[in-house]
Amino acid sequence: MTRNESDDPLSSLAPFLRVKPDLQDFCRFGGTWVSPHEASGGAQFHIVTRGHCVFEINGHGPVKLGAGDTLLLPHGDAHVVRSVSTDGAIRRIVTEFRNAIRTKSTPGVAYDTELVCGVLRGEAASEQALIAALPNFVVLRSTRLPLAERLHTLAICISDELDSNETGSTIIATNLATALFVMMLRERLKEVPPASGLLALLTHRSTSHAVLAMLREPARDWTLDLLAKASAASRATLVRSFRKLAGLAPLAFLTELRLGFARQRLMTTNDPICVIAADVGYQSEGALSRALLRRYGVRPSKLRLGKSG
């Protein structure tokens, strides 16, 4: 028997799992090594395809990662990935380029750890919103998921493609990484259902359709009646569910969503501010500017220049 989408809230996430990995580094390290990563504007990730390593970030203790594990930093925070062993001198990391991918290695020692690293990008503002809704870092451990064998096979295939240096290997590896991320994120959401925020709203039947409608048409002149109709729920039920899951009424959540979209585009594109304002539902550049100032304490010009803090 086929389940209807309305009976499966998780299926509402499908349009927002079209994340695309931008593969940047193929790393093969041995001995004692340390690889620091500066903060970036995108969601950084590390896929451990062979061996073990340790992840460190301010405010948290060290986290050990093994083959098949994926580390995702949705907000691109600065962090360090290092060897498990801290004995001996730290090896020098050498960087070369091959097929538009940086290859990093520790010369003079056999490698025992291999990683594929890069940035996870959403193709649309709604997909970026899904990534941004995740915690500061997420460790997706394939060994704890029902799909462990399939995920590990994907990780090895990604590594083998990048190592092959054949025509199209980067494209193939990227598509394999997309499949791996979608499967792991899906399993993560099943295993650890979000308690609040955007992800929780998307995975609950009473609110998912209203949020999907907002994500698809953020500039529409939404009213509570229209959102209740999209959700096939009463106004009171919708307000109660939004307040429980997001701490906001539906229209207040819509404002947060619009400003979040605008902020992201100002920080990552050169789109004219007036165009961004229209796309997210503001009547003028001035109206958007005032709203951003109230919400974030900065004007669009400073967000665009990366001076938001």
Side-chain angles (χ1 to χ4, degrees), residues 16 121-133 261 264-265 268:
F16 305 101
R121 305 188 190 281
E123 297 177 359
S126 54
E127 293 148 22
Q128 294 167 5
L130 173 63
I131 296 171
F261 285 174
Q264 179 70 14
R265 281 182 63 181
T268 59

Side-chain angles (χ1 to χ4, degrees), residues 2-309:
T2 303
R3 288 186 299 176
N4 187 290
E5 180 174 329
S6 63
D7 297 325
D8 178 16
L10 187 65
S11 68
S12 66
L13 284 171
F16 305 101
L17 290 177
R18 296 175 298 174
V19 290
K20 180 180 179 182
D22 179 4
L23 304 183
Q24 298 178 337
D25 299 315
F26 182 39
C27 308
R28 282 178 162 170
F29 299 144
T32 301
W33 52 272
V34 177
S35 179
H37 295 262
E38 296 180 354
S40 70
Q44 299 184 50
F45 67 83
H46 304 281
I47 303 170
V48 184
T49 52
R50 290 182 174 87
H52 296 83
C53 60
V54 172
F55 158 68
E56 295 179 342
I57 190 171
N58 286 340
H60 296 273
V63 178
K64 187 175 180 180
L65 306 172
D69 292 346
T70 297
L71 169 67
L72 176 61
L73 295 101
H75 311 292
D77 296 322
H79 61 285
V80 171
V81 181
R82 64 168 175 82
S83 58
V84 174
S85 171
T86 56
D87 297 333
I90 296 176
R91 292 277 176 175
R92 179 173 61 99
I93 294 177
V94 173
T95 302
E96 300 174 317
F97 286 86
R98 187 177 66 182
N99 277 353
I101 298 286
R102 289 188 298 257
T103 60
K104 296 182 177 181
S105 61
T106 48
V109 62
Y111 74 87
D112 53 24
T113 302
E114 188 177 80
L115 303 101
V116 176
C117 314
V119 176
L120 196 63
R121 305 188 190 281
E123 297 177 359
S126 54
E127 293 148 22
Q128 294 167 5
L130 173 63
I131 296 171
L134 294 170
N136 287 343
F137 74 88
V138 176
V139 177
L140 302 170
R141 298 193 185 276
S142 65
T143 54
R144 295 182 182 175
L145 300 176
L147 299 174
E149 186 174 345
R150 289 162 63 187
L151 293 171
H152 185 66
T153 299
L154 277 174
I156 295 298
C157 288
I158 292 167
S159 168
D160 290 347
E161 277 298 327
L162 292 177
D163 193 40
S164 72
N165 202 27
E166 292 189 25
T167 303
S169 60
T170 301
I171 296 173
I172 293 172
T174 297
N175 287 330
L176 290 170
T178 298
L180 182 145
F181 268 109
V182 170
M183 291 167 69
M184 293 190 83
L185 284 172
R186 181 184 64 188
E187 293 304 308
R188 165 79 181 189
L189 290 171
K190 287 180 183 177
E191 188 181 68
V192 187
S196 63
L198 174 62
L199 294 180
L201 290 169
L202 281 169
T203 53
H204 280 73
R205 187 177 299 108
S206 60
T207 54
S208 62
H209 292 291
V211 176
L212 287 168
M214 295 179 196
L215 290 171
R216 288 169 181 151
E217 299 181 86
R220 185 174 176 179
D221 187 16
W222 290 106
T223 64
L224 187 55
D225 284 332
L226 287 173
L227 290 172
K229 183 177 180 180
S231 298
S234 70
R235 290 163 44 116
T237 297
L238 192 63
V239 170
R240 188 164 51 248
S241 297
F242 264 82
R243 288 195 182 280
K244 178 182 178 181
L245 296 170
L248 294 168
L251 295 180
F253 177 82
L254 174 61
T255 297
E256 286 290 301
L257 203 62
R258 286 170 167 170
L259 293 177
F261 285 174
R263 183 173 182 265
Q264 179 70 14
R265 281 182 63 181
L266 285 164
M267 295 175 68
T268 59
T269 75
N270 292 315
D271 296 342
I273 297 174
C274 61
V275 172
I276 295 174
D279 287 348
V280 299
Y282 283 84
Q283 298 301 311
S284 68
E285 181 177 324
L288 175 61
S289 179
R290 290 189 293 273
L292 287 167
L293 184 61
R294 285 193 301 270
R295 176 63 180 84
Y296 299 114
V298 292
R299 296 192 181 277
S301 57
K302 286 197 173 182
L303 286 170
R304 172 135 287 167
L305 293 171
K307 295 181 179 178
S308 60

